[in-house]
Amino acid sequence: MQSNTLIPPFSEESALLKVRMAEDLWNTRDPERVVQAYTQDTVWRNRTEFPVGREAIKACLERKWVRELDYRLIKELWGFRDHRMAVRFAYEWHDDSGHWYRSYGNELWEFNEMGLMQRRFASINDLPIRESERQYHWPLGRRPDDHPGLSELGL
């Protein structure tokens, strides 16, 4: 599927691809690349932060990935309609003390006519886990195609 088909209104196929592309982008842990998927005036709610605009989002992501080390993320489409999507996700990471966490959440996404995200509302909860409870063991970066998703992992 070509990227020009990843604009609203979404089909099931394009929505699934858009979610996977977002997962892949976030797994780069590169704030400069990630913010390119958002409008210049994008509005977020992320935990207790309410950044507006690409520069504020970039700063938010820089702080995030300094704190959340060895970050690995899986996203799953929950539903979609027209120019909106509901996505659930879970990611594993550890802090600088070596304590591991699995962070669970839900996101509501709204896209403009060009397919850039203009609004993102995320609710996120952190669950401390033992290193032995980790389920994401792929090398840092993109999740391999044969790695199970959230539903297959029972998350």
Side-chain angles (χ1 to χ4, degrees):
M1 177 172 287
Q2 295 180 342
S3 62
N4 64 353
T5 60
L6 298 180
I7 58 174
F10 296 107
S11 66
E12 182 175 6
E13 181 184 11
S14 65
L16 288 166
L17 186 55
K18 191 80 160 175
V19 171
R20 180 59 194 241
M21 290 175 67
E23 174 188 314
D24 292 348
L25 192 57
W26 277 66
N27 274 325
T28 69
R29 298 174 333 277
D30 181 345
E32 190 65 47
R33 286 184 58 197
V34 172
V35 299
Q36 299 308 310
Y38 300 89
T39 61
Q40 288 290 341
D41 60 349
T42 190
V43 174
W44 277 23
R45 185 194 75 219
N46 191 80
R47 298 183 185 267
T48 60
E49 292 189 63
F50 298 82
V52 175
R54 282 187 179 169
E55 286 306 309
I57 301 303
K58 182 180 170 191
C60 177
L61 293 172
E62 288 169 346
R63 287 189 302 276
K64 171 186 182 62
W65 288 318
V66 164
R67 186 175 91 80
E68 297 177 358
L69 306 173
D70 290 323
Y71 173 98
R72 291 170 177 85
L73 165 73
I74 299 176
K75 290 183 181 280
E76 181 176 279
L77 180 66
W78 191 254
F80 69 96
R81 185 180 73 222
D82 300 324
H83 64 290
R84 293 182 173 156
M85 291 187 200
V87 175
R88 67 188 202 98
F89 63 88
Y91 60 91
E92 293 180 350
W93 59 280
H94 67 85
D95 62 20
D96 59 1
S97 300
H99 296 104
W100 281 92
Y101 300 86
R102 186 173 301 120
S103 299
Y104 296 94
N106 301 298
E107 295 175 297
L108 300 175
W109 296 349
E110 183 180 83
F111 296 90
N112 72 4
E113 67 281 351
M114 300 302 295
L116 295 175
M117 196 179 302
Q118 59 191 12
R119 297 192 329 160
R120 174 184 174 267
F121 303 112
S123 297
I124 307 167
N125 297 295
D126 300 320
L127 175 69
I129 60 173
R130 292 185 295 275
E131 187 169 4
S132 63
E133 296 174 298
R134 292 181 52 218
Q135 296 190 43
Y136 302 179
H137 296 285
W138 69 85
L140 288 176
R142 186 179 191 278
R143 175 173 56 101
D145 290 333
D146 62 350
H147 190 283
L150 295 177
S151 292
E152 293 85 5
L153 291 170
L155 300 174

